[in-house]
Amino acid sequence: MEIDLVAENKQIVLKSYVNGSPVETDMELKLGNRVKLEAPKGSKGVLVKNLYLSCDPYMRGRMQDFHASYIPPFTPGSVIEGFGVSKVVDSDDPNFKKGEFVTGLTNWEEYTLILKTGQLRKIQQDDAIPLSYHVGLLGMPGITAYAGFYEVCAPKKGDYVYVSAASGAVGQLVGQLAKLHGCYVVGSAGTSHKVHLIKNKLGFDEAFNYKEELDLEAALARYFPQGIDIYFDNVGGSMLDAALANMRVHGRVAVCGMVSQNSRTDKQSFSHMFSVISKRITIKGFLQSDFTELYPRFLEDITGFYKQGKIVYIENMNDGLETAPAAFAALFSGKNVGKQVIRVASE
Amino acid sequence: MEIDLVAENKQIVLKSYVNGSPVETDMELKLGNRVKLEAPKGSKGVLVKNLYLSCDPYMRGRMQDFHASYIPPFTPGSVIEGFGVSKVVDSDDPNFKKGEFVTGLTNWEEYTLILKTGQLRKIQQDDAIPLSYHVGLLGMPGITAYAGFYEVCAPKKGDYVYVSAASGAVGQLVGQLAKLHGCYVVGSAGTSHKVHLIKNKLGFDEAFNYKEELDLEAALARYFPQGIDIYFDNVGGSMLDAALANMRVHGRVAVCGMVSQNSRTDKQSFSHMFSVISKRITIKGFLQSDFTELYPRFLEDITGFYKQGKIVYIENMNDGLETAPAAFAALFSGKNVGKQVIRVASE
Ligand SMILES: NC(=O)c1ccc[n+]([C@@H]2O[C@H](COP(=O)([O-])OP(=O)(O)OC[C@H]3O[C@@H](n4cnc5c(N)ncnc54)[C@H](OP(=O)(O)O)[C@@H]3O)[C@@H](O)[C@H]2O)c1
Ligand SMILES: NC(=O)c1ccc[n+]([C@@H]2O[C@H](COP(=O)([O-])OP(=O)(O)OC[C@H]3O[C@@H](n4cnc5c(N)ncnc54)[C@H](OP(=O)(O)O)[C@@H]3O)[C@@H](O)[C@H]2O)c1
């Protein structure tokens, strides 16, 4: 009966290292792979069926031939690794049982033998919370927003808060948390549809389309005549410079990401770096991985907010593993609207 | 006998607004001015004889036609204002008596009627401490180093500390405080003489001449094979970028000054801004004027360290008010060796 335990296993592999912004053709669907649907005895691993896969901008860093980063690169020709929500098919780890749902690092394929089970988190199923949220609202982007806002921004009620990439996986939550905290919140994004969602669905006070602004500094001055207390920076580059020009005294910049710089090889140039002194600005970079000890509190708080209807979450669901290359590339052209997720299977 | 109360009052005036690095001829000695040596009744002011005047890089900011800064510009044709040590000649303020020594904002001239006496600090004369130190070690540069190091850098014993403009008024004290704190300290400066002083007189662990380095990033990597925990930045620009490249995880950059940018109109460009995220760096600008509440503790600590021989202080004394324009310009060509002071009179 061994035939029952073997399945076809479609995969998404990196074709070759990426320069500039990733495009769909940097990855490809690989057929013909077959997998035994078991966790080998002694492996201590779990064999999972992948349900949802997450497209995250940091993965671009792993598509370069650069080995000195905080995370190693992918290997061209090999399957891509990323966060996912999966169902345990077979387990050689006593902590996990067949049928349980887990989230953590898995591969962009239908089935994965996960050996590093220590990084997996078991999902308590909850009808009120879509499983896919565990790679978004309740996953890595969620803790990024939570830790970034509460631990890095030092927010106070009444603060003027600006969020770039504000409709995205991280930005949408930052802005909503800031509103709950009693801040005045403005977001920016690259389409009028996103601007509409930021104002009307996510409940920011204001939003604007940065692509329609010839002068980012003037745009921010318009939305923040009093200046900015907190800039939650998802994009870097000229937007960061424009924000520096508009910060208030003792303003704080949480540097979360620099997605605008991925396609650039030139230097980032700043006209307003001196503001850091004259306005006593703090610029603080952070990585969510430094805040794992916050996870229990984060899950409790955000689950609570969500169930009480205090926050919403916008997902961009892409159906089928084969959509993954385009879905990933979309992050860098701004085509995703909300958290970019690939549904590989429903259950 | 009114003739006794009137004196000639040589002044240094700004000729016109400055672009780029200040040069000697941006200022000039103005003769012919006469002053009554009295504090008029009802003025609540003090008439002082200026003994020492301080050349400070921030004053360049006041030589531009730029009114939106934290401090207003000078007026061309008018006397320059700056920190000084002065002796009270006549007083209409009950808090000050004739013969007392004071330090605070005064003018670049022989005698000044100071009306804002609230900002003056009385100097307790002490044979062990030169009066001029009250514009250096125990004055504005001193509190800058003290507050910047202890309050902004979050120093720990064993930290790797880098200081630029390390032989200057601020830098020399920062490095010595860092040594006393148990840090490993490297400084940079623009001449081999300064490098010698930094190592042999100021007691830094290492020093280098940045003008002899083609590649600042490589130079810092040589002096900090383990990376930098704290960069005390006096210069900004490409040195800041090189330091970002060499910071350790959770490194801190205290941005004190950007003296390298004064002569530049182009943007500051950075290749290593992404390090702020990947290494979770904090960049924090500060102004000493935010730390006035530290003054008593600062004076006590630094006076103590100095008297116990734990720190030294290098001054560059310039004799005569007429030397002031060249002395000031020297800050921007690096000709000063240590704290740049003008001796207007001995007592
Ligand atoms: N520090 C951490 O630990 C951590 C963790 C997670 C994520 N991040 C960072 O957080 C940022 C947001 O991540 P996310 O997952 O929430 O992604 P996302 O916002 O859902 O998707 C990326 C968005 O970035 C914007 N974008 C793309 N290219 C741009 C450009 N050249 N200039 C300006 N905006 C551009 C696009 O939105 P627009 O329509 O607005 O242009 C795009 O939709 C990224 O920089 C990511 O690297 C950091
Ligand atoms: N934030 C505050 O509250 C505060 C308060 C006081 C001072 N500051 C700042 O602290 C810094 C040091 O001030 P200081 O009074 O101690 O001055 P200083 O170091 O005694 O004198 C200025 C020194 O800067 C260096 N320099 C000049 N042009 C340069 C350039 N293009 N590139 C690199 N270095 C250059 C020169 O030394 P080298 O031989 O090393 O080139 C020069 O001797 C300044 O930036 C100043 O504005 C800030």
Side-chain angles (χ1 to χ4, degrees), chain A residues 268 270-271 280-281 283 285 290, chain B residues 268 270 280-281 283 285 290:
Chain A
Q268 293 189 58
F270 291 87
S271 296
R280 297 83 108 190
I281 296 168
I283 300 176
D290 284 340
Chain B
Q268 293 189 58
F270 291 87
R280 295 84 108 192
I281 295 168
I283 300 177
D290 283 341

Side-chain angles (χ1 to χ4, degrees), chain A residues 84-319:
Chain A
V85 170
S86 316
K87 187 173 184 176
V88 177
V89 173
D90 188 32
S91 174
D92 187 51
D93 179 330
N95 297 312
F96 297 95
K97 278 194 236 354
K98 181 175 170 173
E100 286 180 333
F101 295 95
V102 294
T103 183
L105 283 174
T106 185
N107 292 337
W108 282 23
E109 57 193 353
E110 295 175 281
Y111 297 95
T112 303
L113 176 64
I114 299 176
L115 296 176
K116 291 186 180 155
T117 56
Q119 50 89 25
L120 291 176
R121 183 169 65 74
K122 231 181 268 192
I123 295 173
Q124 305 306 333
Q125 256 195 291
D126 184 330
D127 287 344
I129 298 190
L131 272 177
S132 56
Y133 278 21
H134 291 278
V135 292
L137 181 65
L138 298 173
M140 191 277 283
I143 184 99
T144 303
Y146 184 88
F149 181 66
Y150 293 119
E151 305 291 318
V152 182
C153 292
K156 292 186 309 295
K157 192 169 180 298
D159 275 350
Y160 294 94
V161 177
Y162 170 52
V163 186
S164 53
S167 68
V170 175
Q172 62 174 308
L173 182 54
V174 172
Q176 293 181 85
L177 295 179
K179 280 304 297 171
L180 287 177
H181 207 73
C183 301
Y184 180 84
V185 188
V186 180
S188 62
T191 69
S192 56
H193 175 51
K194 290 182 183 184
V195 167
H196 176 83
L197 288 172
I198 292 169
K199 285 200 281 195
N200 298 297
K201 184 154 181 179
L202 300 170
F204 288 39
D205 294 288
E206 277 294 346
F208 67 94
N209 181 346
Y210 68 93
K211 289 184 180 163
E212 285 174 357
E213 301 290 342
L214 290 174
D215 180 340
L216 295 176
E217 194 181 327
L220 288 176
R222 219 164 60 232
Y223 287 98
F224 293 99
Q226 327 77 351
I228 300 168
D229 292 299
I230 293 174
Y231 173 36
F232 193 100
D233 186 12
N234 284 314
V235 303
S238 55
M239 190 61 97
L240 173 53
D241 197 30
L244 289 177
N246 281 283
M247 295 305 285
R248 300 178 89 182
V249 164
H250 294 126
R252 288 135 274 152
V253 178
V255 191
C256 176
M258 296 192 169
V259 69
S260 76
Q261 298 303 302
N262 287 323
S263 55
R264 305 178 66 118
T265 48
D266 54 340
K267 299 180 171 193
Q268 293 189 58
S269 62
F270 291 87
S271 296
H272 301 290
M273 206 35 99
F274 192 77
S275 296
V276 168
I277 300 176
S278 57
K279 297 183 194 162
R280 297 83 108 190
I281 296 168
T282 300
I283 300 176
K284 217 175 155 120
F286 72 100
L287 287 180
Q288 53 82 27
S289 47
D290 284 340
F291 297 94
T292 43
E293 85 285 1
L294 290 185
Y295 234 96
R297 204 182 80 198
F298 152 70
L299 284 178
E300 193 182 318
D301 285 355
I302 300 298
T303 306
F305 289 158
Y306 181 74
K307 289 193 175 177
Q308 293 153 34
K310 289 185 178 164
I311 56 176
V312 297
Y313 200 63
I314 303 174
E315 276 186 332
N316 191 148
M317 191 58 76
N318 299 271
D319 266 301

